[in-house]
Amino acid sequence: MNIVLYLGIILITGLFAGKVINFLKLPAVTGYLLIGLLLGPSVVNLVTAETVTALSPINSIALSLIAFSIGGELSRHQIKQCGKSVLVITVTQVLGAYLLVSLTLHYLLELELHSALIFAAISTATAPAATIMVLREYKAKGPMTSNLLAVVALDDALCLIAYGITMALAKSLAGKVSGGVGAMVAAPLWELTGSILLGAVFAVVLLLLSSRFKEKPDKLVLLLGLV
């Protein structure tokens, strides 16, 4: 399995798929998604499930950079301008998705409650990569864009909390509790808090060190290393 070859295929086919889909006046990310489905395990299977797993470190780095970009787009001034609406939208979206998916799976499709709750927790997550790509492609600016970026950032945080609590509840319902429900609930909360603290420390380090480097490539390497 030649990972470099598969990575090249993904990049080149994704580029051309994005250009083709632009002719239909659709965002390029639509082409990326379609070509991914076509080449992936579900259809042609050119990029196998094993290859997708092997490429997971690249995926992690990409998502980290996207999260960094979202944070870079948000400032204290923008958050103040958004006001309470961001919090209301985020909570409503998370609760709405959670309730709709859990009730539909459990009562209409008759899935076991603990399994339905897990799917419901997963459904609360948004796709920051697709959101950022569409905003960048159309050079979107304004109040709605600022609100959207804030919602995406907060939504992922709430998703982590919801997933951790739901997993604890689902294991309890399934009779597979080990280590106590409290410990399982505390784990995602600690992960979120630890991430915020670590991000704050690295931000200070980045600010202090970046002023000492004059060349942009040096600053880029420093940024990538910290991310």
Side-chain angles (χ1 to χ4, degrees):
M1 181 173 58
N2 193 326
I3 298 300
V4 177
L5 174 62
Y6 282 116
L7 182 59
I9 292 173
I10 292 170
L11 291 173
I12 296 299
T13 54
L15 173 65
F16 282 101
K19 297 298 182 184
V20 170
I21 208 73
N22 280 152
F23 284 110
L24 302 176
K25 305 301 181 183
L26 293 173
V29 68
T30 309
Y32 304 155
L33 293 172
L34 290 175
I35 200 66
L37 288 171
L38 180 63
L39 298 182
S42 301
V43 185
V44 178
N45 199 32
L46 177 63
V47 181
T48 63
E50 292 78 12
T51 304
V52 174
T53 302
L55 290 169
S56 59
I58 297 175
N59 188 43
S60 297
I61 294 171
L63 288 174
S64 299
L65 291 171
I66 290 165
F68 183 86
S69 298
I70 293 175
E73 296 287 345
L74 291 173
S75 65
R76 186 183 304 173
H77 176 68
Q78 286 177 318
I79 294 174
K80 284 183 177 180
Q81 279 189 327
C82 294
K84 295 180 180 178
S85 62
V86 169
L87 186 60
V88 172
I89 293 170
T90 305
V91 173
T92 303
Q93 181 263 322
V94 169
L95 288 178
Y98 193 97
L99 291 174
L100 179 62
V101 172
S102 59
L103 294 175
T104 300
L105 291 179
H106 182 58
Y107 289 104
L108 294 183
L109 301 181
E110 299 182 350
L111 191 66
E112 292 181 324
L113 181 58
H114 62 272
S115 298
L117 290 176
I118 293 173
F119 280 112
I122 294 172
S123 73
T124 61
T126 54
T131 304
I132 289 293
M133 289 178 69
V134 172
L135 293 178
R136 291 275 175 86
E137 182 175 349
Y138 290 101
K139 297 179 174 62
K141 297 289 182 182
M144 183 176 178
T145 302
S146 300
N147 282 341
L148 182 59
L149 288 170
V151 168
V152 169
L154 291 175
D155 178 84
D156 284 346
L158 287 180
C159 175
L160 282 174
I161 297 172
Y163 184 78
I165 295 173
T166 298
M167 283 300 295
L169 179 60
K171 287 181 179 180
S172 177
L173 291 172
K176 297 180 180 180
V177 177
S178 59
V181 176
M184 286 186 288
V185 173
L189 295 177
W190 163 244
E191 182 178 352
L192 182 62
T193 305
S195 297
I196 293 172
L197 293 174
L198 192 63
V201 171
F202 278 12
V204 173
V205 172
L206 179 62
L207 289 172
L208 292 175
L209 294 182
S210 60
S211 61
R212 298 178 180 274
F213 294 100
K214 304 301 180 184
E215 300 294 330
K216 286 187 177 180
D218 294 336
K219 291 183 178 181
L220 178 60
V221 170
L222 175 64
L223 174 61
L224 288 174
L226 289 174
V227 168

